[in-house]
Amino acid sequence: MQKTYDPSRIEPYWYERWEHNGYFEPSGQGTPYCIMIPPPNVTGTLHMGHAFQDTLMDILIRFHRMRGHNTFWQPGTDHAGIATQLVVERQLNAAGKDRLEMGREAFVEKIWEWKDKSGGTIQNQMRRLGASVDWSRERFTMDEGLSTAVREVFVRLHEEGLIYRGQRLVNWDPVLETAVSDLEVESTEEQGSIWRLRYPLADSDESLVVATTRPETMLGDTAVAVHPNDPRYAHLIGKKVKLPLVGREIPIVADEYVDMEFGTGCLKITPAHDFNDYEVGQRHGCEPINIFTGQATINENAPAAYQGLDRFEARERIVADLKAAGLLDGIDPHKLMVPRCERTGAIVEPYLTHQWFVDLTRKTQPDGRPGGWTEITDPAIQAVRQGQIQFTPENWTKTYYNWLEDIQDWCISRQLWWGHRIPAWYDNNGQVYVGRSEAEVRKKHGLPDTHSLQQDPDVLDTWFSSALWPFSTLGWPENTQELSTFYPTNVLVTGFDIIFFWVARMIMMGLKFGGEVPFKEVYIHGLVRDSEGAKMSKSKGNVLDPIDIIDGIDLESLVQKRTTGLMQPQRAPAIEKQTRKAFTNGISPHGTDALRFTFASLATTGRDVVFDMGRVDGYRNFCNKLWNAARYVLLNTEEQDCGANDEAVMLGSADRWIISRLQTTEKTVIEALETYRMDLAAQAIYEFLWDEYCDWYLELCKPVLQQDTDAKRQRGTRRTLVRVLEAVLRLAHPFMPFITEEIWQRIAPLAGIDSPTIMHQRYPIPAAELEDQTAEAEIEWVQRFILGLRRIRGEMDIPPGRALPVLLKNASPKDLERLEQHRVALDFLGRLESVDVLDANADTPESALALIGELELRVPIAGLIDKAAELERLSREQSKLESELKRIQGKLQNEAFVSKAPAEVVTREREKLADIEDALTRVAEQQQKMA
RNA sequence: GGGUGGUUAGCUCAGUUGGGAGAGCGUCGCCCUUACAAGGCGAAUGUCGGGGGUUCGAACCCCUCACCACCCA
């Protein structure tokens, strides 16, 4: 093995080999285990969230594969309708071209070109991460097969009356001119104003004042609402106001929606441009008046003076005109939530348009057939409530229920060109026909070719196809082998941010069309944040490319990367400054295994994953530790007798100890993996490998390998060195696939194993009969002995190279037996010059003291010990012991404790008390002697 | 306004049926001991957010307050 650990040398090599040899494909044997990847954007790049999530999935996949399951991890991408169309459109604009001039067909062609060009990026980044997905079955939401599934679902839902077309208020992006989903709208608090507008009554000199954050919408007002219990306005209910600038007379209505405390207590009602007003308007029979065009300019329903104005220009003009008319009562600064489209940054407009909806709310349809609530929503709730699907952590079910129980119909149409075209055709009479194809529609409805049909120009929400992902990827609606083997899948691994939009919808569609839940478990992980705890985003300039952590990147390149292609270029200097501060020397290379191990150890139950580069540094060191430990093992075992063919061996207590500890570690790791506690699993592996195998076992081996003359003992030690390492490599493989494979290739033959890859080896199974309490007690005694000695060394500033004479006093027969048995190890690890056992009544010379239970370990002072330092240490130890003594005495003197606490707890406290009293006596003696 | 989660060492976080406060990183000493200086050995560091309650006993259970974060309206 190379002397230094160099991940860049081993990682790409092994991945290429694994993939080339088809090791990621399902074995076809054993219990099926399947995970569907949450499909990333086909033209996207890997961010930290992906890397985190992919790591967690790969750990589960490799774990189950090694347990002998028929394991399948489905990879793929989605077409990300808006994002992708936008990217290509921007490219065209930069080249001086225009989508509309170009035409739909040519534009879509351009997007496919872009997809082919940049489509492989994220897949190759996943390869760098070691993701063991089955690339041979990769899917894309706009593949032919998946598109068939989309059409099939649409048609069937429509046939059942569960998809309808209607006019509703939707979130509208006036830049893209499309409806967008709630998920794509981000509301943030922004500074705005409240305008107080005075509306005169129609039939008197009275007037009232409405408060609004959006004065321009007054052109579409259809009512003014007050609270029915508001005494200030009770006399006005039922009267009319004359809408300024427009002249329309609109009613004053009473509605409990109005907040009497807010503003003036009078609310202008604009049903066509506000979700709440729409509801209020409906209650009072107000016809919505739409005053905007698709680009949010004022349309022909408004007075001519304002037509054609942009919504923000219109606001200024209207406020100015009202002011001129003496109808502006005032302007107050006000913070309000402003909804913006995540993609374009444009302020989203509630907008009244014709869209396609999935019914999720009706219990029954007017014709008596079951409605969407009964057919789709309620079953999705029940599946979780009745435990067919389990969430981890369980708490997230609340979020799930909250949303589903208050669900709205799902707007699935988008006014885009990139996506699945809605399978609906219109004739010249406006009659709509839904079917799998135009031919099917014509056949079904007996429409001759001469009867003109136009397909609906809109496409479906990307989430509509994503909702089908768990079964459409497996070949549905065909009844394929894959579908019957892997559906329902085992677990969905995802972030809590898309529980509503994706998880819930997959459950709905899975139950409806897959006939069963799409997955039995949902593992919800946290979201990756930067070291300050802030969400990572390009515009904040705090994103990290996982590949940069793997390969390393110099500061200049990092600054460059973070400051190019910004939506707000003016932020570049701030981002540059912040980057230079946070990464003074850029990012050093860490390798994939270290990054993966970091992600695993960050996967706690919390919902924020605060990413700290220091952790990655630490785990890279861990990889290095493993590497060097393996080198040491090989150095001592290669071409030597390791008992690979089950020759007779003798195992010492150190051997039996490390084997016993390995069983415990295996149990911990497996249990942690089964409960999605990757952090605990990683911690157990880390501690075993570093604190037990490296720090103690390798050291305990040295005297045996270097000095022992018994072949069976040496063979036993070599065999244990090799076998334990081999097992822990398998244990750690799901977390650190590359380094474990590389080392395993060298170690496995020494353990008598012949196989091309660790990937297909069995995951360790803890064996109760290998647990050995006796050996653990033995080694613990040795550890305490050595630690006591080391502490004296450290505190007395005695160089580690200097051999020490040791005196033992108050030794029990057991102590003497252990001393005898472990003498070689103690000499080696403790650098003992001599050991003398003193009689109980013998005089003890001035010496530094360490207590191992009742056994006194003493190092004589002459010429070695700093008397003052020892006295200082003794007084520190004394006060520590005394405070502990006080605590325990207090407990035991409490009669209620003695009588009510379990007997074993009381006994334990009594024993502790005795130990402490004993230790205090010795410390006091020692102090006297030194004084 | 409704809901959820959080508050433990300087930093990031564990703490699984309530019974001796932990890890990593950082800090401070001593060591280039033939696997590893990306290392070894040792040390220091906490009114477990505040208050109250239940209990023999609370970081953990209950109530309450404060602050932070997120989600929904």
Side-chain angles (χ1 to χ4, degrees), chain A residues 848-875:
Chain A
L849 173 69
L851 292 173
I852 303 152
E854 309 210 327
L855 174 66
E856 294 179 19
L857 186 161
R858 294 177 167 277
V859 176
I861 275 184
L864 281 177
I865 304 294
D866 179 342
K867 211 163 154 177
E870 173 68 354
L871 278 169
E872 194 192 312
R873 187 191 71 77
L874 284 167
S875 90

Side-chain angles (χ1 to χ4, degrees), chain A residues 150-220:
Chain A
V150 166
R151 281 191 298 272
E152 186 67 24
V153 165
F154 188 97
V155 171
R156 285 202 206 169
L157 284 174
H158 184 261
E159 283 169 352
E160 292 186 43
L162 300 174
I163 277 184
Y164 64 92
R165 189 165 185 269
Q167 197 185 35
R168 287 278 193 85
L169 269 192
V170 295
N171 291 305
W172 184 264
D173 183 325
V175 172
L176 286 165
E177 293 190 65
T178 177
V180 293
S181 99
D182 302 2
L183 180 64
E184 288 143 355
V185 178
E186 258 185 357
S187 286
T188 49
E189 194 169 73
E190 292 183 21
Q191 187 58 49
S193 307
I194 290 194
W195 285 267
R196 295 198 303 275
L197 314 182
R198 185 167 294 276
Y199 288 4
L201 259 71
D203 57 355
S204 75
D205 296 338
E206 242 184 305
S207 63
L208 52 73
V209 177
V210 297
T212 179
T213 58
R214 301 202 53 200
E216 67 279 13
T217 63
M218 61 89 60
L219 300 178

Side-chain angles (χ1 to χ4, degrees), chain A residues 62-63 66-68 666 669-670 673 685 730-735 761-765:
Chain A
R62 287 178 184 269
F63 171 55
M66 290 177 77
R67 289 191 125 187
E666 290 173 359
V669 170
I670 289 168
L673 284 172
I685 291 170
R730 281 183 281 127
L731 198 65
H733 175 73
F735 301 83
Q761 291 294 301
R762 290 307 291 265
Y763 207 65
I765 299 167

Side-chain angles (χ1 to χ4, degrees), chain A residues 343-594:
Chain A
R343 299 289 169 191
T344 59
I347 295 179
V348 167
E349 201 63 54
Y351 194 56
L352 202 55
T353 52
H354 281 92
Q355 303 286 346
W356 290 91
F357 293 88
V358 177
D359 169 23
L360 299 174
T361 52
R362 288 182 300 181
K363 292 218 163 61
T364 48
Q365 300 180 39
D367 61 11
R369 288 186 295 173
W373 174 266
T374 312
E375 274 294 301
I376 301 174
T377 309
D378 195 47
I381 294 173
Q382 297 313 325
V384 175
R385 229 182 256 295
Q386 291 164 11
Q388 287 136 267
I389 298 176
Q390 283 189 315
F391 278 68
T392 304
E394 198 270 335
N395 271 354
W396 289 109
T397 54
K398 284 187 187 165
T399 307
Y400 178 81
Y401 296 139
N402 283 346
W403 186 67
L404 279 175
E405 282 161 3
D406 194 30
I407 200 167
Q408 306 286 308
D409 287 353
W410 176 13
C411 173
I412 50 172
S413 44
R414 297 287 179 272
Q415 289 64 51
L416 301 174
W417 286 352
W418 176 241
H420 299 102
R421 189 109 174 231
I422 289 174
W425 285 262
Y426 304 89
D427 64 16
N428 291 337
N429 307 323
Q431 179 70 36
V432 60
Y433 306 94
V434 169
R436 289 163 188 80
S437 64
E438 185 177 330
E440 184 190 278
V441 163
R442 286 189 184 280
K443 196 171 159 202
K444 188 172 167 191
H445 298 278
L447 303 173
D449 286 352
T450 50
H451 192 93
S452 160
L453 284 179
Q454 306 277 328
Q455 187 170 4
D456 192 309
D458 293 349
V459 299
L460 287 162
D461 181 7
T462 307
W463 296 103
F464 189 87
S465 48
S466 303
L468 318 183
W469 185 252
F471 53 89
S472 63
T473 48
L474 297 173
W476 189 93
E478 302 293 317
N479 191 13
T480 60
Q481 179 72 42
E482 283 85 351
L483 193 63
S484 56
T485 305
F486 295 113
Y487 192 91
T489 68
N490 293 75
V491 60
L492 175 76
V493 179
T494 191
F496 57 81
D497 50 335
I498 51 175
I499 288 179
F500 308 151
F501 302 95
W502 192 47
V503 180
R505 283 167 183 167
M506 278 192 289
I507 295 175
M508 292 173 174
M509 291 300 164
L511 286 166
K512 178 88 180 115
F513 294 100
E516 286 181 84
V517 293
F519 27 74
K520 296 162 203 157
E521 293 185 83
V522 181
Y523 166 42
I524 302 282
H525 57 68
L527 263 34
V528 181
R529 315 277 171 171
D530 73 3
S531 55
E532 314 272 289
K535 196 169 166 177
M536 288 191 181
S537 77
K538 178 84 181 160
S539 61
K540 281 201 199 106
N542 60 353
V543 286
L544 283 170
D545 182 341
I547 305 301
D548 290 341
I549 300 173
I550 293 171
D551 292 339
I553 184 169
D554 64 83
L555 178 60
E556 295 313 316
S557 309
L558 184 61
V559 167
Q560 183 75 18
K561 217 167 154 172
R562 283 185 162 190
T563 51
T564 49
L566 290 173
M567 293 247 286
Q568 300 159 281
Q570 69 273 20
R571 286 195 44 83
I575 290 171
E576 173 167 355
K577 198 176 153 198
Q578 163 201 330
T579 302
R580 288 186 187 279
K581 193 176 157 218
F583 300 95
T584 322
N585 300 311
I587 300 173
S588 61
H590 294 87
T592 299
D593 286 323

Side-chain angles (χ1 to χ4, degrees), chain A residues 192-383:
Chain A
S193 307
I194 290 194
W195 285 267
R196 295 198 303 275
L197 314 182
R198 185 167 294 276
Y199 288 4
L201 259 71
D203 57 355
S204 75
D205 296 338
E206 242 184 305
S207 63
L208 52 73
V209 177
V210 297
T212 179
T213 58
R214 301 202 53 200
E216 67 279 13
T217 63
M218 61 89 60
L219 300 178
D221 283 1
T222 60
V224 170
V226 297
H227 196 279
N229 301 336
D230 194 333
R232 294 172 294 180
Y233 306 114
H235 65 290
L236 297 178
I237 296 169
K239 297 194 170 166
K240 292 192 170 187
V241 296
K242 189 165 182 193
L243 192 59
L245 311 181
V246 181
R248 183 163 62 237
E249 289 192 4
I250 58 176
I252 300 168
V253 300
D255 197 288
E256 301 206 331
Y257 169 73
V258 180
D259 178 358
M260 288 191 272
E261 311 292 317
F262 185 84
T264 58
C266 294
L267 187 65
K268 63 191 261 323
I269 301 299
T270 323
H273 300 289
D274 183 285
F275 290 102
N276 293 312
D277 289 10
Y278 186 80
E279 305 268 315
V280 176
Q282 281 207 317
R283 283 199 284 275
H284 300 279
C286 305
E287 270 306 305
I289 300 173
N290 178 15
I291 55 145
F292 285 139
T293 66
Q295 292 113 0
T297 61
I298 305 294
N299 71 9
E300 69 284 357
N301 293 332
Y306 305 105
Q307 287 180 18
L309 290 179
D310 174 79
R311 52 186 162 164
F312 302 111
E313 292 168 359
R315 173 179 296 179
E316 283 177 32
R317 283 277 283 280
I318 286 164
V319 169
D321 290 351
L322 286 169
K323 191 174 179 187
L327 295 173
L328 182 64
D329 207 55
I331 307 175
D332 303 314
H334 177 67
K335 285 208 167 103
L336 73 164
M337 297 302 279
V338 177
R340 288 180 182 275
C341 175
E342 205 179 59
R343 299 289 169 191
T344 59
I347 295 179
V348 167
E349 201 63 54
Y351 194 56
L352 202 55
T353 52
H354 281 92
Q355 303 286 346
W356 290 91
F357 293 88
V358 177
D359 169 23
L360 299 174
T361 52
R362 288 182 300 181
K363 292 218 163 61
T364 48
Q365 300 180 39
D367 61 11
R369 288 186 295 173
W373 174 266
T374 312
E375 274 294 301
I376 301 174
T377 309
D378 195 47
I381 294 173
Q382 297 313 325

Side-chain angles (χ1 to χ4, degrees), chain A residues 694-705:
Chain A
C694 289
D695 283 355
W696 287 100
Y697 185 65
L698 291 189
E699 295 305 319
L700 287 165
C701 285
K702 285 176 183 174
V704 181
L705 296 174

